[in-house]
Amino acid sequence: PGYVRFRVPGSFRGFSELSVRTDELTAIPDGITRAYVIENEITYLAFPVPASAMVIFGGGYAVSVLEALGWLGTLDVAYWGDIDTHGFAILNRLRHRLPHARSMLMDRDTLLDHRDHWTIEPSPTAVALDHLASGESALYADLISNTYGRSVRLEQERVSFSAVEKAVAAGDNSLAGAG
């Protein structure tokens, strides 16, 4: 069976974190209106969970296990992965099922603001991705063409925590204005 690992603010039935079978997580946990899907385990564990949100460990390409959670389609969903070719490929895969999912901290400004933390992506991909927004597509093309250097990669755990907090706060503010 597929499993989903998640955290909610405070606790969920007394647990700070759960890993449950996807076929048993048939409904949105009470009070949740947003889901953050996080690629990396370290970042998932450190992610500041805002009120009314849940954080889901995407596990890289394992994000496809989330397809069984149909109720995710009713939530505001943000995906945060590495800024590298595979990070965008995973985002593209998630959007096949959740076209409304938006990316978080996967933009040119974040990449350039963290230049000192770049590494080299060991095995980049150059597959066609048809579910990226225009800015994401442009950055993906830049990564493929080595615009910023050979196989540039910004792993999400190298993004400053203050940038993460700002992005989460901005997401909360966008929901507040939607009501």
Side-chain angles (χ1 to χ4, degrees), residues 2-167:
Y3 285 85
V4 63
R5 183 174 168 191
F6 68 95
R7 299 171 43 229
V8 295
S11 68
F12 182 75
R13 298 183 181 165
F15 296 97
S16 61
E17 177 183 26
L18 286 171
S19 182
V20 299
R21 291 172 60 146
T22 54
D23 62 351
E24 293 176 355
L25 189 58
T26 58
I28 304 166
D30 291 339
I32 301 300
T33 60
R34 170 178 289 148
Y36 291 93
V37 178
I38 309 296
E39 178 183 341
N40 176 284
E41 184 178 29
I42 292 168
T43 310
Y44 157 79
L45 290 169
F47 195 87
V49 186
S52 303
M54 66 187 304
V55 179
I56 300 171
F57 177 49
Y61 283 101
V63 76
S64 59
V65 75
L66 302 179
E67 292 176 2
L69 305 177
W71 50 263
L72 275 175
T74 67
L75 298 180
D76 176 38
V77 177
Y79 174 77
W80 181 27
D82 295 337
I83 299 178
D84 64 10
T85 61
H86 289 281
F88 284 111
I90 296 165
L91 172 61
N92 192 74
R93 178 177 287 185
L94 179 67
R95 283 202 183 128
H96 278 278
R97 177 68 175 93
L98 299 169
H100 70 288
R102 57 187 170 78
S103 65
M104 179 179 121
L105 297 169
M106 294 181 71
D107 55 82
R108 182 173 280 109
D109 288 344
T110 300
L111 178 67
L112 297 178
D113 287 347
H114 293 82
R115 184 180 299 268
D116 292 343
H117 301 286
W118 292 358
T119 60
I120 295 175
E121 185 176 17
S123 56
T125 185
V127 297
L129 302 178
D130 57 350
H131 287 81
L132 297 182
S134 61
E136 297 160 349
S137 287
L139 183 52
Y140 177 67
D142 286 347
L143 294 173
I144 290 171
S145 66
N146 297 313
T147 299
Y148 305 108
R150 186 177 72 78
S151 303
V152 166
R153 174 187 208 189
L154 176 61
E155 294 170 289
Q156 67 180 176
E157 63 269 26
R158 294 175 175 263
V159 172
S160 70
F161 197 70
S162 63
V164 175
E165 290 175 318
K166 285 180 189 173

